[in-house]
Amino acid sequence: MKDKYILVTGGAGYIGSHTVVELLKAGYTPVIADDFRNSNKNVIDGIARITGKLPVYEEVDVTDNAALKVLFERYDFYGIIHFAAYKAVGESVADPLMYYRNNLLSLISCLELSEEFNVPNFVFSSSCTVYGAPDEVSVDENTPLKEANSPYGATKQMSERIIEDVHGSGSKTGFIALRYFNPVGAHPSSEIGELPIGKPNNLLPYVTQTGAGYLEQLTVNGNDYNTADGTCIRDYIHVVDLAKAHVKALNWLEKNPGRFEAVNVGTGIGSSVLEIVNTFERVSGIKLNWKFGPRRSGDVEKIYAKIGKSRDLLNWTAELSIEDAVRDAWNWEKKIRNV
């Protein structure tokens, strides 16, 4: 069978690496494009240990159109899965220009080259932050998009608009924007997982690093939200489930060429920050050192997914639980910290 090369930008990152594993399992040939500014080359070996296959990777800055074009000339890409972007809400508030430059230019480079080389399938890594602070807690794909709460969220709104405009201009490429909720966990093999550089911006790696003694204390940002326990509510999805959704999206595009769809990818279940803390203590048997702190700029109070479209369109639903995610994240943390 002819290789179905899939360009995976940011493929050495957290979600990207797990998706590369699922692509290899499904018979595709992923080509990782990553400059490793927010990832580690050891991830490549981890993917190989899981799959028995050393993935193809190219060290390239995806915002560099000329450098990226070399890959399009080298490989006949059957699809693109575009992850390469900065992704921390708080950091985007502190340094918005860095986020606008990186997140928008990387997408535009991919789209320009996709059009030039007639790539038929394009899966975009979007986010539930496109909904802003919605009027309803549970959102579907028709929920009106409010003003983004952060520059990060704004880049995802803008990116979806850019893709929609390219599609509307007569592009022959099919597009799916997967609106992720909150990815958590690690591969159950403990060969790959979330590996933040510096202090984590996401909750669960901060929890596991505190549990491992690598960080002294977890600060829970805000205890006065209008929720049952006063802490923010999110829809936490296991990263392996999320990775499989990308393969399902690619499968759907193959059968429905030239379409554009936005699809929520979540569990449909909301969990509070304190529920995650309590789940960690139950799964690990460790009493976590934590305290309440002030609210964090850019955080939405509560949001979780309506998941009918992912089920009906992509034939995908989440299979793994919060307990699975916390257990796998903790096993990964213990491995990399030698706990």
Side-chain angles (χ1 to χ4, degrees):
M1 184 181 78
K2 181 182 176 183
D3 281 330
K4 289 186 175 180
Y5 289 108
I6 308 298
L7 176 65
V8 186
T9 70
Y14 175 43
I15 305 169
S17 60
H18 287 81
T19 301
V20 167
V21 167
E22 298 304 324
L23 287 168
L24 286 165
K25 288 182 178 179
Y28 294 99
T29 306
V31 177
I32 295 169
D34 204 308
D35 62 4
F36 300 98
R37 74 178 76 169
N38 279 329
S39 56
N40 192 303
K41 284 187 179 178
N42 291 337
V43 168
I44 303 298
D45 295 330
I47 293 170
R49 286 191 292 270
I50 293 168
T51 64
K53 301 172 184 176
L54 185 67
V56 178
Y57 73 94
E58 303 280 355
E59 193 163 348
V60 61
D61 178 352
V62 179
T63 65
D64 185 338
N65 189 282
L68 192 59
K69 186 173 182 177
V70 172
L71 304 192
F72 282 77
E73 293 169 339
R74 186 176 300 158
Y75 304 97
D76 180 15
F77 288 123
Y78 181 69
I80 298 170
I81 302 180
H82 179 51
F83 293 106
Y86 294 139
K87 61 182 180 62
V89 168
E91 184 181 58
S92 77
V93 173
D95 197 347
L97 287 177
M98 179 175 77
Y99 271 67
Y100 287 118
R101 169 176 287 278
N102 183 72
N103 292 9
L104 297 180
L105 287 182
S106 61
L107 173 65
I108 290 168
S109 285
C110 288
L111 288 171
E112 287 176 342
L113 292 166
S114 176
E115 291 295 292
E116 182 178 347
F117 287 85
N118 299 309
V119 179
N121 306 301
F122 196 114
V123 180
F124 174 63
S125 167
S126 192
S127 165
C128 66
T129 57
V130 299
Y131 295 109
D135 294 331
E136 297 180 357
V137 177
S138 180
V139 296
D140 67 17
E141 293 80 1
N142 295 316
T143 298
L145 307 186
K146 296 293 192 70
E147 182 179 352
N149 280 39
S150 67
Y152 165 72
T155 67
K156 293 301 183 181
Q157 288 182 342
M158 292 176 190
S159 293
E160 284 199 19
R161 175 61 189 269
I162 291 167
I163 290 169
E164 194 169 2
D165 287 344
V166 170
H167 179 258
S169 72
S171 172
K172 293 182 173 59
T173 300
F175 297 93
I176 286 187
L178 295 181
R179 293 173 176 170
Y180 311 159
F181 281 68
N182 286 67
V184 287
H187 196 273
S189 66
S190 299
E191 293 290 354
I192 56 175
E194 192 165 6
L195 194 61
I197 295 171
K199 277 195 175 183
N201 290 298
N202 295 331
L203 174 62
L204 192 50
Y206 213 112
V207 166
T208 58
Q209 287 189 21
T210 304
Y214 187 73
L215 295 176
E216 183 179 349
Q217 188 175 55
L218 167 72
T219 298
V220 175
N221 298 114
N223 65 346
D224 58 350
Y225 287 101
N226 184 28
T227 61
D229 62 22
T231 65
C232 287
I233 289 176
R234 294 289 183 271
D235 186 337
Y236 294 97
I237 177 173
H238 198 298
V239 66
V240 172
D241 277 334
L242 177 55
K244 290 177 179 178
H246 292 78
V247 179
K248 290 284 192 179
L250 202 54
N251 295 158
W252 186 86
L253 286 171
E254 291 175 282
K255 297 171 185 174
N256 299 273
R259 295 273 295 276
F260 169 79
E261 297 286 349
V263 181
N264 285 343
V265 187
T267 66
I269 301 168
S271 301
S272 74
V273 173
L274 282 188
E275 285 180 281
I276 299 299
V277 170
N278 293 335
T279 300
F280 173 80
E281 291 185 341
R282 185 172 65 252
V283 167
S284 68
I286 291 173
K287 184 68 176 174
L288 202 64
N289 182 23
W290 68 273
K291 66 177 182 178
F292 284 118
R295 293 187 181 196
R296 186 173 62 173
S297 178
D299 274 344
V300 173
E301 182 172 85
K302 47 191 171 183
I303 186 171
Y304 55 91
K306 289 182 180 175
I307 56 175
K309 190 171 183 179
S310 64
R311 181 191 62 233
D312 298 340
L313 192 77
L314 303 183
N315 190 30
W316 175 92
T317 54
E319 298 174 340
L320 300 168
S321 68
I322 283 291
E323 287 77 10
D324 294 326
V326 172
R327 182 196 63 241
D328 292 339
W330 178 232
N331 287 338
W332 161 250
E333 190 71 48
K334 287 191 292 184
K335 179 182 178 181
I336 61 176
R337 305 294 176 198
N338 295 315
V339 173

